[in-house]
């Protein structure tokens, strides 16, 4: 029997779809699942007529793979990944490679890469995969990092299965260690921000402007045709407002409980930003909004005890919809600026050597945050590799300056009507804080010195000189 070029462990939907994607590009594959019944089901359904060989033990699975063996692990992040690696290690040979395609924490990927490279001479690739089930099957955005020789061996397969855009496949070698999963983590943080910003725009237009679902559908569909907001998330939002529940005949979106889940990558992004000292307030707000949404029963009870303002916008609704569009675009720019700044800081801190232009480029297709303006982000960092913040790139700077009045008006209206817009507000606060030469933290530092003798620097002295005042005696 001909040896298999590529192997997949884990046959949940993402694993199955990636396996079929690889096979469809002309690479014979082997598959294995811990539960034999799942493997059998796959072989009798979706794998029929495909160049797929099933294995029912790990030993058999390893034996039917050509060397160097290329094994994609698609199991739940955390201890299940470690368990599979430990089972594989004694079965593999030097130069074989393991790819973790799940949403693993980048620190776990760092540890696994070090262990496999140093103790067993195996290659390990931690690869972020974005695009959901459809992307996995037809072309995802792939963010591989880890052992570089392993990536070079895998490159022909990964470039074949990735989403294809005008300037190449949506995959690149991100960097060593946990670089790939780090970029995927930040991608997910941006995704959280994007989704929350769209939800807030919806809330303002529905409850502040009184738009119907039909009008909302038309609005998001029109926004998806613009250079500023053309994106996958805007596209699917328009589709959602069209869907009628067959059971009730009502719009399904109105029947969905307003309690959003999360799988941890947003929280991980926040923790990393705090550790690295990079402000990402739009993502903080998005994660916090999901946490708040889980308090459904408390919110229902509170709504009866804590009345707020009532009414809708009394002016030209159509004109104000355009202001909401501008506010959404400005806020999105801030969200992406925060994400790119975090990647840049992590790259420097962890010696990842991540290319910001390439990170933006591989998000142009396949992934959840794919958007028309990502090419502008790519160009901004390609033209100025030392750009400290995306908001300072000429095109983005001018876009915000042209729209900031509308952005502020939307927040004023939302506050007047009692509509929470935490991510819009956080984005504007980020912009206003970043553009201010002076912030009130001079007072904060004075307080810290007063109660804790933490010292302070002075604006009339060289940076790096620290002072302490005996505030009580001085008063």
């Amino acid at each position: 029997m001909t040896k298999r070029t590529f192997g997949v462990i884990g046959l949940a939907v993402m694993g199955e779809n990636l396996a079929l994607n690889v096979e469809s590009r002309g690479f014979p594959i082997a598959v294995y699942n811990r539960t034999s019944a799942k493997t059998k089901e796959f072989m009798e359904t979706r794998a029929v007529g495909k160049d797929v060989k099933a294995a029912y033990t790990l030993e058999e699975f390893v034996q039917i793979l050509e060397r160097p063996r290329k094994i994609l692990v698609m199991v739940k992040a955390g201890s299940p990944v470690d368990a599979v690696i430990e089972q594989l290690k004694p079965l593999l040979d030097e130069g074989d490679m393991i790819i973790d395609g799940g949403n693993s924490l980048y620190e776990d990927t760092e540890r696994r890469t070090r262990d496999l490279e140093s103790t067993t001479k195996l290659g390990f690739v931690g690869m972020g995969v974005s695009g959901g089930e459809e992307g996995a099957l037809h072309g995802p955005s792939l963010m591989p990092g880890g052992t570089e020789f392993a990536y070079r061996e895998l490159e022909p397969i990964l470039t074949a299965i990735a989403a294809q855009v005008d300037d190449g496949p949506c995959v690149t070698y991100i960097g060593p260690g946990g670089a790939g999963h780090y970029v995927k983590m930040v991608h997910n943080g941006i995704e959280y921000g994007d989704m929350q910003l769209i939800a807030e725009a919806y809330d303002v237009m529905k409850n502040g402007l009184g738009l119907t679902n039909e009008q909302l559908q038309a609005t998001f569909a029109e926004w998806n045709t613009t250079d500023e907001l053309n994106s996958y998330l805007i596209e699917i939002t328009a589709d959602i407002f069209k869907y009628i529940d067959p059971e009730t005949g009502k719009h399904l979106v109105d029947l969905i409980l307003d309690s959003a889940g999360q799988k941890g990558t947003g929280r991980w992004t926040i923790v990393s930003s705090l550790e690295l000292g990079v402000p990402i307030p739009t993502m903080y707000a998005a994660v916090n909004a999901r946490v708040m949404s889980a308090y459904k029963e408390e919110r229902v009870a509170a709504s009866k005890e804590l009345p707020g303002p009532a009414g809708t916008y009394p002016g030209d609704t159509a004109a104000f919809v355009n202001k909401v569009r501008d506010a959404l675009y400005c806020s999105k720019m801030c969200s992406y600026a925060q994400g790119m700044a975090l990647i840049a800081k992590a790259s420097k801190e962890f010696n990842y050597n991540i290319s910001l232009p390439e990170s933006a480029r591989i998000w142009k297709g396949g992934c959840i945050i794919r958007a028309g303006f990502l090419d502008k982000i790519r160009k901004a960092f390609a033209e100025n590799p030392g750009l400290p913040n995306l908001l300072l790139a000429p095109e983005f700077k001018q876009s915000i300056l042209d729209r900031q009045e509308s952005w502020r008006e939307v927040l004023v209206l939302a506050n007047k009507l009692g509509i929470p817009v935490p991510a819009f507000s956080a984005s504007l606060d980020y912009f206003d804080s970043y553009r201010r030469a002076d912030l009130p933290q001079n007072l904060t530092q004075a307080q810290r010195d007063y109660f804790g003798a933490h010292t302070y620097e002075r604006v009339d002295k060289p940076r790096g000189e620290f002072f302490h005042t005996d505030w009580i005696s001085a008063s």
Side-chain angles (χ1 to χ4, degrees), residues 5-6 18 21-27 70 99 125 127-129 135-144 150-174 358 361-362 365-366:
T5 303
F6 193 81
L18 283 167
N21 187 349
V22 172
E23 190 277 339
S24 73
R25 311 300 173 182
F27 301 99
K70 306 171 184 67
I99 311 111
V125 172
M127 182 171 72
V129 179
L137 183 61
H138 299 295
S141 173
L142 300 174
M143 293 152 260
Y151 173 75
R152 299 305 169 196
E153 286 282 347
L154 292 162
E155 193 169 12
I157 297 174
L158 299 184
T159 55
I161 69 171
Q164 307 293 317
V165 293
D166 55 358
D167 50 7
C170 293
V171 60
T172 192
Y173 177 65
I174 300 294
E358 276 290 275
R361 187 192 66 78
I362 65 172

Side-chain angles (χ1 to χ4, degrees), residues 75-88:
V75 301
K76 187 177 179 181
S79 58
V81 177
D82 288 320
V84 171
I85 291 172
E86 288 305 309
Q87 291 167 352
L88 282 172

Side-chain angles (χ1 to χ4, degrees), residues 146-448:
T147 309
E148 187 169 3
F149 86 76
Y151 173 75
R152 299 305 169 196
E153 286 282 347
L154 292 162
E155 193 169 12
I157 297 174
L158 299 184
T159 55
I161 69 171
Q164 307 293 317
V165 293
D166 55 358
D167 50 7
C170 293
V171 60
T172 192
Y173 177 65
I174 300 294
H181 275 138
Y182 194 93
V183 168
K184 176 57 163 58
M185 178 188 75
V186 176
H187 163 287
N188 284 22
I190 294 171
E191 178 184 311
Y192 272 60
D194 243 359
M195 294 174 71
Q196 178 62 26
L197 290 168
I198 292 169
E200 291 175 17
Y202 152 65
D203 199 4
V204 169
M205 291 189 293
K206 177 183 178 181
N207 295 305
L209 305 183
L211 268 61
T212 64
N213 285 331
E214 290 79 9
Q215 290 171 316
L216 288 164
Q217 190 280 326
T219 296
F220 280 100
E222 192 275 327
W223 285 358
N224 196 47
T225 66
T226 65
D227 289 340
E228 296 90 346
L229 295 180
N230 169 254
S231 67
Y232 173 72
L233 285 170
I234 295 291
E235 176 188 340
I236 67 169
T237 302
D239 287 345
I240 286 167
F241 286 114
K242 288 192 296 189
Y243 192 87
I244 303 299
D245 175 42
E247 182 180 342
T248 63
K250 298 178 180 179
H251 285 91
L252 180 58
V253 68
D254 294 331
L255 301 176
I256 296 175
L257 185 71
D258 59 327
S259 180
Q262 54 181 312
K263 291 188 174 180
T265 47
R267 174 172 52 82
W268 295 346
T269 308
I270 289 172
V271 170
S272 180
S273 77
L274 292 171
E275 291 173 343
L276 294 175
V278 179
I280 55 168
T282 306
M283 297 179 215
Y284 295 174
V287 172
N288 190 63
R290 293 197 190 189
V291 174
M292 179 63 79
S293 77
Y295 286 74
K296 177 64 176 179
E297 290 75 17
E298 284 190 43
R299 290 188 290 110
V300 169
S303 70
K304 300 170 184 176
E305 303 289 335
L306 302 171
T312 57
Y313 178 63
D316 184 340
T317 298
F320 206 87
V321 165
N322 291 332
K323 296 181 189 294
V324 177
R325 178 197 63 206
D326 289 345
L328 178 57
Y329 184 50
C330 290
S331 298
K332 280 170 63 74
M333 281 188 277
C334 287
S335 181
Y336 281 76
Q338 293 161 33
M340 300 309 278
L342 181 56
I343 291 173
K345 183 64 178 290
S347 179
K348 183 177 180 180
E349 187 76 13
F350 305 140
N351 296 312
Y352 284 157
N353 195 30
I354 296 170
S355 166
L356 295 185
E358 276 290 275
S359 295
R361 187 192 66 78
I362 65 172
W363 291 343
K364 287 169 57 179
C367 72
I368 303 302
I369 64 169
R370 61 184 184 264
F373 81 148
L374 275 163
D375 199 50
K376 297 178 182 179
I377 295 176
R378 180 194 65 78
K379 289 178 180 176
F381 286 109
E383 292 170 358
N384 183 2
L387 184 68
N389 191 290
L390 186 64
L391 300 182
L392 297 177
E395 181 169 340
F396 290 99
K397 176 180 72 174
Q398 197 57 49
S399 291
I400 280 195
L401 295 178
D402 290 344
R403 293 168 173 81
Q404 66 167 313
E405 184 177 347
S406 295
W407 192 10
R408 297 179 191 281
E409 286 184 43
V410 170
L411 267 71
V412 169
L413 177 69
N415 289 332
K416 281 185 175 180
L417 297 179
I419 298 171
V421 284
F424 272 4
S425 300
S427 298
L428 181 57
D429 288 343
Y430 177 80
F431 171 72
D432 279 336
S433 295
Y434 191 70
R435 68 174 187 81
R436 287 275 300 275
D438 298 302
L439 292 171
Q441 273 59 55
N442 55 322
L443 177 58
T444 303
Q445 199 61 17
Q447 292 169 328
R448 294 182 71 241

